[in-house]
Amino acid sequence: MRPSLMRSASQLARRRRGYSSASGQPERKVAILGAAGGIGQPLSLLMKLNPLVSSLSLYDIAGTPGVAADVSHINAPAQVKGFMGDDQLGEALEGSDLVIIPAGVPRKPGMTRDDLFNINAGIVKNLCTAIAKYCPNALVNMISNPVNSTVPIAAEVFKKAGTYDEKRLFGVTTLDVVRAKTFYAGKANVPVPDVNVPVVGGHAGITILPLFSQATPATNALSDEDIKALTKRTQDGGTEVVEAKAGKGSATLSMAYAGAVFANACLKGLNGVPDVVECSFVQSTVTELPFFASKVKLGKNGVEEVLGLGQLSDFEKEGLENLKGELKASIEKGIKFANAN
């Protein structure tokens, strides 16, 4: 057999096994719901560039064909298709390994994450109903705020549909980690690529608890006041961006980056890469709360292990107790909304 024919046969065999002929990686379909929005567009760009993605499905209520055409011209392997409107949602989702949801309205000046609730909760409920029908085994990465409530909404929708698997539902809190790393590196004067900071709790205000006592590389250069200031800045990072944009947007670019980082970790886990650990808001027994963000080990089925909090400083112990009431209320609000009708 000629070498060219042997290559063709090999490529065909790979495709039949569900493997990308170009890279030897498993073929992975990623769907982005809300792809034409402020987070969705840069997230679509970043996922197109990800070599682990073989098929990229972009969905929104409007504007998606243009985004898909634009992104599809980039010379990266992922095949891109755009879908628009309720009647194309099923096709957008079918066969997805990973669904990322940045859909919803952004935060404006003076608006809390709670103000977003009534609009975004309804959007998330509808999208998750479709996910349960068309790709019930997909990993779901929830970006739509308020994450502290939208993740419990998704869980309830999936429970009603009989498809809930707590290992496959994630609240994306990676932006809190990204901010904590950046702010810590700047204050401690260490190279930011080397920094790691776990962030636990939730994804709004005081529910965000960066564990700077566990930051690496460790430093003695920061005072207790520095740690308190870094904690407050991490918690208020979203507001900092909203105010800086003066009514013209929220954290879209940094959120898209953070979403792409977490999605990449999920894909690596699915592909069997060992020891992939990221922080995420998941069903948890780390505290008495039913959902909680902490370090999570990712694997072929999603959550492989929810990791404990480790040793906390007195300041962090106090922060943990202070956040529980607000986080509990947000979780219960989501569950109540999902079961209201």
Side-chain angles (χ1 to χ4, degrees):
M1 187 181 287
R2 294 198 308 272
S4 61
L5 293 177
M6 291 176 65
R7 282 196 299 271
S8 297
S10 173
Q11 287 167 356
L12 180 60
R14 283 179 182 274
R15 282 196 290 272
R16 284 177 175 164
R17 289 198 302 269
Y19 279 77
S20 166
S21 59
S23 65
Q25 297 283 356
E27 290 189 348
R28 297 297 181 193
K29 177 179 176 179
V30 175
I32 300 177
L33 308 185
I39 296 169
Q41 290 197 43
L43 179 58
S44 298
L45 164 67
L46 292 169
M47 295 313 294
K48 167 66 169 168
L49 297 174
N50 189 314
L52 302 182
V53 180
S54 53
S55 176
L56 186 60
S57 180
L58 306 183
Y59 173 83
D60 215 318
I61 54 172
T64 343
V67 176
D70 196 358
V71 171
S72 71
H73 292 180
I74 296 168
N75 59 324
Q79 297 296 306
V80 182
K81 290 186 179 179
F83 301 90
M84 186 171 70
D86 292 343
D87 58 331
Q88 294 186 0
L89 178 54
E91 188 182 354
L93 288 170
E94 278 180 335
S96 294
D97 297 286
L98 173 65
V99 180
I100 312 172
I101 311 179
V105 298
R107 200 149 59 108
K108 297 180 175 65
M111 184 188 283
T112 66
R113 282 185 172 85
D114 206 46
D115 294 330
L116 302 176
F117 181 83
N118 287 329
I119 299 171
N120 288 358
I123 292 170
V124 164
K125 189 174 181 180
N126 290 336
L127 293 175
C128 288
T129 299
I131 291 168
K133 182 177 180 180
Y134 293 105
C135 56
N137 296 317
L139 301 190
V140 177
N141 289 2
M142 185 68 67
I143 292 174
S144 303
N145 271 318
V147 166
N148 293 352
S149 299
T150 55
V151 169
I153 288 170
E156 292 301 307
V157 170
F158 296 150
K159 285 176 187 176
K160 283 184 180 180
T163 65
Y164 182 54
D165 181 351
E166 70 273 12
K167 294 180 178 180
R168 295 178 179 272
L169 176 61
F170 302 88
V172 180
T173 59
T174 313
L175 181 52
D176 302 325
V177 176
V178 166
R179 286 172 171 150
K181 289 178 178 181
T182 302
F183 302 157
Y184 176 87
K187 195 70 177 175
N189 196 28
V190 294
V192 70
D194 300 338
V195 170
N196 197 16
V197 183
V199 182
V200 304
H203 184 58
I206 66 162
T207 71
I208 300 167
L209 183 62
L211 304 182
F212 288 114
S213 69
Q214 297 178 22
T216 54
T219 179
N220 294 320
L222 302 180
S223 66
D224 290 347
E225 290 306 310
D226 289 332
I227 296 297
K228 287 179 182 178
L230 286 173
T231 300
K232 185 77 164 61
R233 191 178 179 201
T234 304
Q235 292 170 340
D236 294 343
T239 302
E240 183 178 317
V241 175
V242 168
E243 290 176 351
K245 290 190 175 182
K248 295 181 179 178
S250 58
T252 54
L253 301 174
S254 53
M255 183 63 249
Y257 167 76
V261 167
F262 188 73
N264 183 62
C266 286
L267 291 170
K268 288 199 296 186
L270 283 175
N271 289 353
V273 176
D275 301 321
V276 179
V277 176
E278 291 286 344
C279 292
S280 182
F281 186 66
V282 296
Q283 183 172 312
S284 173
T285 56
V286 167
T287 70
E288 65 272 24
L289 299 173
F291 295 90
F292 195 81
S294 64
K295 289 194 289 188
V296 173
K297 188 176 181 181
L298 300 166
K300 292 183 178 181
N301 297 306
V303 175
E304 205 165 83
E305 185 181 1
V306 179
L307 302 176
L309 297 177
Q311 189 69 36
L312 304 182
S313 68
D314 289 342
F315 174 69
E316 290 160 356
K317 288 176 183 175
E318 182 182 355
L320 177 61
E321 292 309 310
N322 289 341
L323 71 80
K324 287 180 180 178
E326 183 174 321
L327 184 51
K328 182 173 185 284
S330 296
I331 293 168
E332 289 175 349
K333 186 172 185 176
I335 293 171
K336 183 178 179 182
F337 178 89
N339 292 318
N341 45 50

